[in-house]
């Protein structure tokens, strides 16, 4: 397979860049905006801060999104935006809100329910223009074509991926991370670290994805402990750690530019089971060192060097490379293996894996098999 590489989202990045929001919306031709935002971001008052420069008359409606939205929640959000005759979307939050916002943008221009477009390249009409403001340094969803919804009863997540589903503009301002608590800061950072390293293990990788992914992983390794410590100590909240937060936000974005083109691999293949109710970044953070060991004979030298730094980071931030007792029992572990079966992320991993090898990997990570 010949790899391809493209990043079509315009990235506006820098401390204070939120002030450019009105200009960027004007450039998109936005006249009536649906704001799709993480409920926690709204409740914390952060949405009001983000939207402060925007003329209130431009906003048609605001929709709150809970973590891990399903098809019904995305459809409700889309129906609200359609009812208010919105022509564009502003997405504010982490991966869940940004994913739901992509569903809203798709449904503003396409008439079928969002699950009809599951798969790759199945969205017929270009979604409404979307501007994304990520409030975690993790998913990198602000530059990806992918939206993920969680459907109870399905063995896998519901994934829609189509060219044009990526936000037109991503606005990265590290000041939005000032109030992010310690745990979501850590889990999001571990997700971004996984994205950067998995791009190195991807069969569909290229020199472009490897360069971006390795630089992003390097930055996360260097910055995450400071960001997590700043969340705990209050230094982030006081604005004393803004440069670190800005760089971390950019690293998470770059990591997705890498894995969005190379595809993900074994860590994310195992962390896609909807029945495992642990934060996405926590699952990836636990699995990452185990997958790194599994892939060790197949990894480029630059990756091997970075992986040797994982224990130091984990010790500094107080994160164990094992699931806590009772959190991943036999049913959850089997669901993880089942979700990975036939999954393109598993097939994309540089080393082939049997179900038995994956059960061994999960057992080493603390799953009770
Ligand atoms: Fe992820």
């Amino acid at each position: 397979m010949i790899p391809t590489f493209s990043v079509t989202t315009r990235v506006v990045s820098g401390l204070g860049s939120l002030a450019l929001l009105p200009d960027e919306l004007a450039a998109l031709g936005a006249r009536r905006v649906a704001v799709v935002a993480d409920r926690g971001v709204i409740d914390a008052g952060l949405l009001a801060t983000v939207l402060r420069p925007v003329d209130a008359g431009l906003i048609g409606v605001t929709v709150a999104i809970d973590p891990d939205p399903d098809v019904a929640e995305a459809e409700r959000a889309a129906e609200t935006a359609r009812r208010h005759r919105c022509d564009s979307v502003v997405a504010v939050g982490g991966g869940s809100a940004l994913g739901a916002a992509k569903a809203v943008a798709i449904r503003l221009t396409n008439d079928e329910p969002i699950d009809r477009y599951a798969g790759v390249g199945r969205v017929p009409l270009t979604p409404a223009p979307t501007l994304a403001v990520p409030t975690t340094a993790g998913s990198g969803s602000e530059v990806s074509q992918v939206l993920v919804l969680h459907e109870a009863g399905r063995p896998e997540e519901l994934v829609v991926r189509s060219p044009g589903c990526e936000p037109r503009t991503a606005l990265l301002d590290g000041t939005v991370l000032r109030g992010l608590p310690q745990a979501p800061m850590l889990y999001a950072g571990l997700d971004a670290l996984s994205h950067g390293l998995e791009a190195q293990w991807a069969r569909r990788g290229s020199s472009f994805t490897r360069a971006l992914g390795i630089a992003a992983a390097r930055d996360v390794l260097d910055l995450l402990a400071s960001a997590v410590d700043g969340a705990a100590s209050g230094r982030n909240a006081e604005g004393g750690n803004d440069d670190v937060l800005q760089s971390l936000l950019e690293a998470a974005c770059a990591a997705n530019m890498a894995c969005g083109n190379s595809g993900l691999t074994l860590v994310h293949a195992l962390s896609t089971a909807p029945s495992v109710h642990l934060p996405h970044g926590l699952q990836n953070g636990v699995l990452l060192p185990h997958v790194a060991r599994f892939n060790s004979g197949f990894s480029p030298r630059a990756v091997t060097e970075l992986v040797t730094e994982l224990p130091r980071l984990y010790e500094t931030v107080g994160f164990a490379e094992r699931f806590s007792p009772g959190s991943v029992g036999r049913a959850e572990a089997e669901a993880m293996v089942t979700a990975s079966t036939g999954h393109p992320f598993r097939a994309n991993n540089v080393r082939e894996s049997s179900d038995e090898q994956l059960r061994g990997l999960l057992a080493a990570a603390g799953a009770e098999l």
Side-chain angles (χ1 to χ4, degrees):
M1 182 183 209
I2 304 287
T4 61
F5 183 88
S6 65
V7 179
T8 54
T9 302
R10 168 182 164 83
V11 179
V12 181
S13 186
L15 292 168
S17 56
L18 281 177
L20 301 175
L21 193 45
D23 292 346
E24 294 298 331
L25 284 175
L28 293 180
R31 303 173 79 88
R32 196 167 173 82
V33 173
V35 176
V36 181
D38 185 294
R39 190 181 299 281
V41 165
I42 298 172
D43 292 347
L46 179 56
L47 182 65
T49 303
V50 169
L51 296 179
R52 192 171 295 143
V54 179
D55 181 349
L58 193 63
I59 297 171
V61 68
T62 296
V63 185
I65 301 295
D66 289 308
D68 299 335
D70 58 12
V71 169
E73 182 167 8
E75 281 293 306
R76 274 195 300 275
E79 173 53 32
T80 303
R82 287 166 74 102
R83 202 168 58 244
H84 285 80
R85 302 186 312 284
C86 294
D87 60 11
S88 49
V89 178
V90 169
V92 185
S96 292
L98 268 48
K102 289 176 195 175
V104 171
I106 290 168
R107 293 286 280 109
L108 282 175
T109 55
N110 293 272
D111 288 333
E112 301 286 334
I114 191 67
D115 51 335
R116 299 277 173 84
Y117 305 128
V120 178
R122 300 189 58 204
V123 178
L125 299 176
T126 303
T130 300
L131 183 151
V133 181
T135 60
T136 61
S139 74
S141 181
E142 65 274 11
V143 290
S144 95
Q145 302 174 341
V146 179
L147 78 90
V148 178
L149 298 171
H150 298 251
E151 277 299 89
R154 283 174 56 110
E156 299 173 4
E157 297 162 325
L158 187 140
V159 176
V160 178
R161 177 186 185 132
S162 239
C165 289
E166 67 280 10
R168 302 265 185 95
T169 308
L171 208 154
L172 311 184
D173 188 334
T175 64
V176 302
L177 297 179
R178 285 176 178 172
L180 191 65
Q182 195 174 0
M185 182 77 81
L186 174 59
Y187 297 159
L190 293 173
D191 187 29
L193 184 56
S194 260
H195 294 165
L197 289 176
E198 285 181 82
Q200 315 303 313
W201 296 318
R203 292 176 188 269
R204 291 196 289 113
S206 66
S207 57
F208 309 107
T209 58
R210 284 189 289 273
L212 268 169
I214 210 81
R218 170 80 271 157
D219 282 349
V220 175
L221 277 165
D222 287 344
L223 300 166
L224 185 57
S226 172
V228 170
D229 180 65
S233 70
R235 194 164 122 82
N236 292 356
E238 292 161 3
N241 215 16
D242 280 353
D243 288 338
V244 164
L245 299 178
Q246 182 67 36
S247 297
L248 194 60
L249 199 51
E250 292 176 7
C253 185
N256 198 302
M257 291 176 182
C259 75
N261 282 280
S262 68
L264 286 160
T265 58
L266 208 45
V267 176
H268 276 70
L270 288 167
S271 69
T272 59
S275 61
V276 177
H277 300 290
L278 293 172
H280 176 69
L282 183 155
Q283 290 187 56
N284 293 333
V286 170
L287 293 168
L288 182 58
H290 299 278
V291 170
R293 276 192 280 278
F294 182 76
N295 284 341
S296 60
F298 300 77
S299 292
R301 190 160 50 91
V303 183
T304 307
E305 287 171 10
L306 288 189
V307 163
T308 61
E309 297 183 33
L310 288 177
R312 177 186 55 83
L313 172 67
Y314 282 29
E315 188 181 343
T316 307
V317 299
F319 186 83
E321 59 170 59
R322 288 179 68 83
F323 295 112
S324 59
S327 65
V328 178
R330 179 178 294 274
E332 286 81 10
E334 287 299 335
M336 293 168 97
V337 174
T338 300
S340 76
T341 303
H343 199 293
F345 294 168
R346 183 167 166 186
N348 194 36
N349 192 69
V350 64
R351 182 182 175 189
E352 280 186 36
S353 55
S354 68
D355 287 357
E356 269 319 293
Q357 286 172 317
L358 295 189
R359 288 189 185 97
L361 188 155
L362 290 170
E368 289 159 16
L369 276 156

